[in-house]
Amino acid sequence: MNYNPYFIVTILAVLALFLIYYVIGHVGNSKRIDTKLSRAYIDQVLAEKVQFYKHLSPEEKSTFLVRVIYFLDTTKISPEKGAVITDADRVLVAASGTIPLFHFEKWAYENLDEVLVYPDAFTEDYDVNDEHRNIGGMVGTGALNHKMILSLNALRAGFQKYPSGNTGIHEFVHLIDKADGLIDGIPEYLIPKDLIDPWFKEMEKTIKQIREGRSDIRDYAATNEAEFLAVVSEYFFKKPRLLKEDHPRLYDMLDNIYGGEK
């Protein structure tokens, strides 16, 4: 049987296109994770446990929910060292990452593949049994690059009503800071260029006040510029009204960096 050469070329072209779409589809979805968490369940957890979510408008809640689902669909969350995590804990991890980037529609954590959840605090050597363990979260480097470690107890505590801190948000701010290559307290991908110098000067001034005991911001913020950014960002998202009242200039700068508190 003789086939028209144009017919053969057409068939081959269709097959080639099918193969291209198949490969792109599988590669593009290779990072997707089947969370099996319903939208209604995620909304319930956020409404019950995340104050930031409670204060959003209905439209903003819908957007936040979509962002949390995207995080859960693209980032592996793994219990380690004997930790036992619930679906609600997974939602809290995703909420921790969504909060600081909520007002940036096109920003995502390209430098994160997996969050490792330890049962409690750990040491720099990842020991969860050492009596001197005191680390609640860490952005991984070296062999743990593109990974984050969170203490389960610290994660849960951050979403309780009274503590002003939030370890999950703290570590995700470090990850945002790291996106430009350095964890230095100046997140160049987010901070407007004309704000960099004023922000750096405000950091230096406030760190000096903390070290001299003339500030109510917790002492850990004075460790270095990177920790200052992470600590005051926790404060901004957890207790924005209090920060605005006590540190109006610092609040205004963070409001500018994170796209505005709404």
Side-chain angles (χ1 to χ4, degrees):
M1 181 180 293
N2 293 325
Y3 291 98
N4 186 314
Y6 292 106
F7 174 78
I8 295 175
V9 169
T10 300
I11 293 297
L12 290 175
V14 170
L15 289 173
L17 284 173
F18 176 80
L19 180 61
I20 290 171
Y21 283 121
Y22 178 84
V23 170
I24 290 175
H26 277 67
V27 170
N29 291 325
S30 62
K31 196 182 174 185
R32 294 192 69 81
I33 297 161
D34 185 9
T35 60
K36 294 185 172 66
L37 300 183
S38 72
R39 184 185 180 98
Y41 175 78
I42 296 171
D43 175 62
Q44 178 185 345
V45 174
L46 294 173
E48 290 178 354
K49 297 179 179 292
V50 182
Q51 288 293 324
F52 182 91
Y53 184 73
K54 294 178 184 179
H55 295 149
L56 297 176
S57 69
E59 183 179 352
E60 288 172 328
K61 285 181 178 178
S62 179
T63 301
F64 191 95
L65 187 57
V66 168
R67 299 281 290 275
V68 165
I69 292 170
Y70 176 79
F71 184 99
L72 291 169
D73 282 347
T74 57
T75 308
K76 190 175 181 182
I77 301 173
S78 306
E80 298 283 343
K81 309 278 188 179
V84 178
I85 63 176
T86 66
D87 288 338
D89 295 325
R90 296 179 186 277
V91 175
L92 293 182
V93 171
S96 300
T98 301
I99 288 170
L101 290 180
F102 180 58
H103 297 293
F104 296 87
E105 295 181 5
K106 297 181 180 179
W107 220 99
Y109 294 102
E110 299 297 336
N111 54 347
L112 179 68
D113 295 327
E114 184 175 15
V115 177
L116 307 176
V117 182
Y118 287 6
D120 206 339
F122 51 95
T123 67
E124 291 184 355
D125 297 323
Y126 316 113
D127 188 340
V128 295
N129 297 311
D130 190 301
E131 62 178 331
H132 300 297
R133 63 189 187 279
N134 62 355
I135 299 175
M138 179 186 293
V139 172
T141 58
L144 291 177
N145 195 33
H146 285 237
K147 298 183 188 299
M148 176 186 292
I149 304 172
L150 289 176
S151 154
L152 180 58
N153 285 341
L155 170 71
R156 290 173 175 173
F159 287 95
Q160 292 175 359
K161 184 175 181 180
Y162 296 105
S164 59
N166 184 301
T167 297
I169 291 175
H170 183 108
E171 294 308 320
F172 277 101
V173 169
H174 278 322
L175 200 62
I176 294 168
D177 192 10
K178 187 183 179 183
D180 59 14
L182 293 172
I183 303 181
D184 59 0
I186 303 176
E188 294 185 13
Y189 279 104
L190 301 188
I191 189 169
K193 294 190 185 312
D194 61 350
L195 188 61
I196 291 177
D197 187 56
W199 169 252
F200 187 77
K201 289 178 179 176
E202 187 68 19
M203 271 202 302
E204 285 190 321
K205 182 187 79 173
T206 309
I207 287 174
K208 185 173 184 292
Q209 291 173 345
I210 295 170
R211 288 172 177 170
E212 293 174 350
R214 296 187 293 114
S215 175
D216 61 338
I217 296 173
R218 64 187 174 101
D219 292 348
Y220 191 64
T223 304
N224 54 48
E225 288 82 0
E227 296 301 345
F228 178 82
L229 172 65
V231 169
V232 297
S233 295
E234 293 179 68
Y235 203 166
F236 176 77
F237 289 114
K238 192 76 185 283
K239 303 286 185 181
R241 293 181 183 176
L242 191 59
L243 180 65
K244 188 173 185 178
E245 179 181 330
D246 294 343
H247 304 276
R249 179 166 172 75
L250 191 58
Y251 172 89
D252 287 343
M253 288 186 170
L254 289 166
D255 188 51
N256 201 336
I257 291 172
Y258 289 112
E261 182 216 0
K262 299 180 180 179

